[in-house]
Amino acid sequence: MSDKIFSVAIDGPAGAGKSTIAKSLSKKLGVIYVDTGAMYRAMALYLLREGVDMEDAAAISAKCQDADITIRFVDGTQQVILNGENVSGLIRTEQVSNMASRSSVNPDVRKKLVELQHALAQKESLVMDGRDIGTVVLPDAQVKIYLTASSAVRAKRRYEELIAKGEQADLAQIEADIIERDHRDMTREISPLKQAEDAVLVDTSDMTIEEVEAKLCSIVNEKVG
Ligand code: DC
C-alpha cells in the first residue's frame, strides 16, 4: 500500500451491507472507517428532539446550524457526538431512519455535514460510506464502489436481524419502507444516490459477506496496489 493518503468511497442504498463491508475493509487496510449515515442520523435526532416540522425547510435550515456534530473513535469504532453528547446508541431507530431520509434532502444540512466529511478525508486515509461519497464528497477518491442488492434481499436481511434480536417484524412492511426510502434518496434534488461513473458496481444479492469482502479487497488491490 502506498504512503500517500487514499480514500475508498462506498455508496449504495440502505441495507446493501455497506457498513459491515466498509468496517472489515478499513480494518484490513489499517485505516479509519467513516459512516456518514450516522452523521445524518445524529442531525435527524437533533431535529426530532427540537420538534422541528419536517415539512418546514426554513426551520430545518435554521435549526441545523445549532447542531454541532463531530465524530470520535473509541477502540477503532466511530462514535457520533451531538452537542457534546455521545448519541451513537440512539440513532438506529426506525423513527430516526425515516427522519434522516427526510432531513438529508435539506441543502444546509448537507453543506454542514459534507464540510466535516471533506475535512476528515484531507487528514488521513479512510474508507467512507454513504450515498454521495463517490459523486460529491470525494470525487477524487482512488477507489469507488457502488454496493447494492435487490430490495427483497435487503428487506429479508433486515427482517432476520430484527427477529434475531427478538423483535417483531413484518417483512412486507420492511420492504415497502426500503422501496420508499430508496425512491426518496435517488430522486432528491441535491446529491441523489447514484453510481459514480467511475465506480465499480457490486451486486451482493447472491453473495455471502465473505465473497463481498474478497471482491472488494481485489478491487482495492487493483486500484491502490
Ligand atoms: O446509511 P444510513 O441508512 O445510516 O443513512 C441514513 C440516511 O441518511 C439515509 O436515508 C440517507 C441519508 N444519507 C445521505 O443522504 N447521504 C449520505 N452520505 C449518507 C446518508
Side-chain angles (χ1 to χ4, degrees):
M1 186 66 57
S2 87
D3 293 336
K4 279 212 191 124
I5 287 184
F6 67 92
S7 307
V8 178
I10 304 182
D11 291 300
K18 293 188 300 291
S19 61
T20 309
I21 298 301
K23 228 177 267 173
S24 71
L25 184 63
S26 69
K27 257 197 203 130
K28 277 209 182 93
L29 298 173
V31 301
I32 59 166
Y33 159 50
V34 176
D35 167 7
T36 62
M39 299 174 187
Y40 287 93
R41 286 170 179 274
M43 180 63 84
L45 178 68
Y46 177 73
L47 296 168
L48 279 170
R49 283 176 169 177
E50 292 292 311
V52 174
D53 176 0
M54 270 309 100
E55 307 302 323
D56 187 346
I60 296 175
S61 291
K63 265 288 165 212
C64 78
Q65 306 302 340
D66 302 333
D68 180 34
I69 294 169
T70 53
I71 63 168
R72 208 165 56 204
F73 292 89
V74 176
D75 296 331
T77 303
Q78 173 181 304
Q79 308 290 314
V80 195
I81 315 298
L82 168 64
N83 293 337
E85 176 191 356
N86 185 343
V87 294
S88 309
L90 306 173
I91 56 173
R92 300 286 157 197
T93 64
E94 287 305 302
Q95 194 193 17
V96 171
S97 297
N98 286 326
M99 176 64 109
S101 173
R102 285 166 205 282
S103 52
S104 60
V105 304
N106 185 287
D108 295 298
V109 167
R110 300 205 73 82
K111 184 166 181 282
K112 199 170 164 137
L113 298 181
V114 168
E115 273 167 17
L116 169 62
Q117 292 153 15
H118 212 235
L120 287 165
Q122 299 295 316
K123 270 200 316 211
E124 59 186 306
S125 295
L126 45 72
V127 175
M128 183 178 279
D129 77 0
R131 304 292 191 285
D132 59 342
I133 311 306
T135 51
V136 174
V137 182
L138 306 176
D140 299 327
Q142 285 74 1
V143 186
K144 296 184 188 179
I145 289 153
Y146 190 85
L147 204 64
T148 190
S150 70
S151 58
V153 167
R154 288 184 283 135
K156 189 152 176 286
R157 287 177 188 160
R158 178 75 186 135
Y159 173 83
E160 283 166 0
E161 245 172 53
L162 291 169
I163 296 296
K165 278 199 268 178
E167 288 178 31
Q168 295 253 333
D170 174 344
L171 183 58
Q173 185 59 51
I174 293 173
E175 186 172 359
D177 285 347
I178 282 181
I179 291 170
E180 190 193 331
R181 209 179 314 160
D182 283 357
H183 180 73
R184 212 181 295 127
D185 291 346
M186 289 172 176
T187 57
R188 69 180 176 215
E189 220 166 291
I190 305 171
S191 310
L193 167 64
K194 66 169 186 224
Q195 185 182 341
E197 267 173 30
D198 49 351
V200 181
L201 174 70
V202 179
D203 185 332
T204 71
S205 301
D206 299 314
M207 294 170 85
T208 63
I209 288 182
E210 292 74 22
E211 286 169 341
V212 182
E213 280 174 353
K215 172 86 187 155
L216 263 62
C217 273
S218 83
I219 295 170
V220 172
N221 265 332
E222 204 179 289
K223 305 250 178 200
V224 191

